[in-house]
């Protein structure tokens, strides 16, 4: 997306919240705008939310997390894992592009979501990124959940709405996510080694180990080391 014309955070947020609301109303979608900088999400519920029993139609809420638990709880657990990995692949795909080449890209995939009565619905999930003013640092994500049309393909893609480029989401980009040193450290973490043990084993300072651990969590968008190891295993990084 294009960088914003104003440096005012409140103006940026208001602009994107209006977009998120518009999607929810016009498409009867569930729309989630997440502020990655402040770990906050603005959720707008269209008619689909009431169909699933998540919330009443045309309501909204703000949560102090970028993990929208009520929505995640309704997604099939296998699809939720796939969604997380696809978002990581998309994140790292974008990060490896020059800032001037990033405009227009989004990720699209199919999910299964369940109502309170355990009825399964086929859903299309799309995610877009929005950036800081220099168009380099990712600041916001916008996730859209729509009931899927029968003729839609079920594959997961990175698409560009301007150039019509498309890329199938697979493990092609996975080996770019972590450095060799980060993978080495993550393998030692999986073995139950502490930062001090890792420091002694690799002959590096404890502060360096801590910095690598923080980078691993950020790159894998994991809340803790256990989750990071689980994600890395699913992506066959370790």
């Amino acid at each position: 997306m294009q960088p914003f014309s104003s440096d005012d955070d409140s103006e940026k947020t208001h602009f994107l919240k209006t977009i998120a609301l518009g999607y929810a109303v016009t498409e009867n979608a569930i729309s989630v705008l997440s502020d990655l900088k402040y770990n906050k999400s603005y959720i707008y519920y269209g008619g689909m939310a009431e169909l699933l029993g998540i919330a009443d139609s045309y309501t909204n809420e703000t949560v102090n997390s970028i993990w929208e638990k009520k929505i995640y709880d309704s997604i099939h657990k296998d699809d939720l894992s796939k969604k997380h990995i696809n978002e990581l692949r998309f994140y790292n795909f974008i990060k490896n592009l020059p800032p001037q080449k990033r405009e227009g890209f989004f990720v699209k995939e199919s999910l299964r979501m369940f109502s309170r009565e355990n009825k399964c619905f086929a859903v299309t999930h799309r995610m877009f990124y929005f950036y800081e003013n220099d168009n380099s640092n990712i600041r916001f994500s916008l996730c859209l959940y729509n009931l899927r049309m029968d003729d839609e393909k079920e594959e997961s893609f990175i698409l560009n709405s301007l150039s019509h480029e498309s890329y199938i989401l697979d493990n092609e980009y996975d080996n770019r996510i972590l450095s060799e040193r980060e993978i080495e450290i993550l393998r030692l973490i999986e073995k139950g080694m502490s930062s001090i043990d890792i420091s002694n084993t690799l002959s590096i300072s404890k502060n360096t180990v801590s910095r690598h651990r923080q980078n691993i969590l950020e790159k894998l968008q994991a809340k803790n080391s256990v989750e990071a190891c689980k994600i890395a295993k699913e992506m066959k990084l370790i």
Side-chain angles (χ1 to χ4, degrees):
M1 293 291 176
Q2 290 285 0
F4 299 100
S5 58
S6 169
D7 291 328
D8 185 344
D9 267 359
S10 61
E11 185 174 334
K12 297 175 189 176
T13 305
H14 178 73
F15 171 70
L16 290 175
K17 286 167 71 175
T18 302
I19 291 174
L21 172 62
Y23 272 115
V25 172
T26 58
E27 296 188 358
N28 269 307
I30 298 173
S31 181
V32 182
L33 175 68
S34 295
D35 188 330
L36 309 183
K37 182 176 181 179
Y38 292 110
N39 194 38
K40 181 176 289 190
S41 293
Y42 307 95
I43 308 177
Y44 298 88
Y45 299 109
M48 175 183 165
E50 189 163 334
L51 187 67
L52 293 173
I54 294 175
D56 291 335
S57 299
Y58 311 121
T59 59
N60 65 85
E61 65 175 322
T62 301
V63 297
N64 292 317
S65 173
I66 61 171
W67 311 98
E68 52 269 24
K69 187 177 186 304
K70 284 198 294 187
I71 298 172
Y72 285 5
D73 285 348
S74 70
I75 300 174
H76 190 288
K77 64 179 182 178
D78 292 340
D79 293 353
L80 185 60
S81 175
K82 179 189 73 172
K83 173 182 178 291
H84 189 87
I85 290 174
N86 283 342
E87 288 177 355
L88 282 176
R89 288 170 174 163
F90 180 48
Y91 178 83
N92 285 277
F93 171 88
I94 289 293
K95 293 288 279 187
N96 279 283
L97 292 177
Q100 65 272 20
K101 300 281 189 180
R102 293 176 178 173
E103 187 177 357
F105 282 103
F106 65 99
V107 67
K108 181 180 179 181
E109 62 190 335
S110 295
L111 304 173
R112 290 164 291 177
M113 296 181 71
F114 293 89
S115 68
R116 288 181 179 176
E117 294 76 29
N118 210 35
K119 182 178 178 182
C120 183
F121 292 88
V123 172
T124 296
H125 170 250
R126 290 170 288 163
M127 187 179 74
F128 304 78
Y129 282 129
F130 298 85
Y131 309 94
E132 297 281 13
N133 287 324
D134 58 3
N135 210 24
S136 59
N137 294 321
I138 295 172
R139 167 69 186 277
F140 296 92
S141 66
L142 176 63
C143 285
L144 306 173
Y145 301 85
N146 299 78
L147 295 177
R148 186 166 65 85
M149 302 300 179
D150 290 338
D151 59 349
E152 289 190 66
K153 294 182 179 180
E154 295 188 7
E155 291 91 348
S156 302
F157 290 97
I158 295 172
L159 302 167
N160 189 297
S161 58
L162 295 173
S163 65
H164 293 236
E165 296 171 79
S166 66
Y167 304 87
I168 294 177
L169 271 168
D170 53 26
N171 60 5
E172 176 184 352
Y173 306 103
D174 292 359
N175 59 5
R176 304 179 191 174
I177 293 177
L178 299 180
S179 69
E180 290 183 8
R181 176 64 93 183
E182 288 164 348
I183 290 173
E184 185 178 24
I185 288 174
L186 196 55
R187 284 177 176 147
L188 296 177
I189 292 172
E190 188 193 12
K191 292 179 180 179
M193 294 178 67
S194 68
S195 291
I196 294 176
D197 293 335
I198 295 171
S199 170
N200 293 333
T201 299
L202 300 180
S203 299
I204 58 178
S205 72
K206 184 174 179 291
N207 286 340
T208 299
V209 174
S210 297
R211 188 174 66 251
H212 281 306
R213 291 181 76 127
Q214 187 59 42
N215 287 340
I216 289 167
L217 295 182
E218 181 180 344
K219 288 180 179 181
L220 295 181
Q221 298 182 30
K223 290 176 279 190
N224 51 54
S225 295
V226 172
E227 187 174 83
C229 288
K230 178 177 181 292
I231 293 167
K233 278 185 171 182
E234 289 174 349
M235 301 182 77
K236 297 182 170 53
L237 298 177
I238 60 174

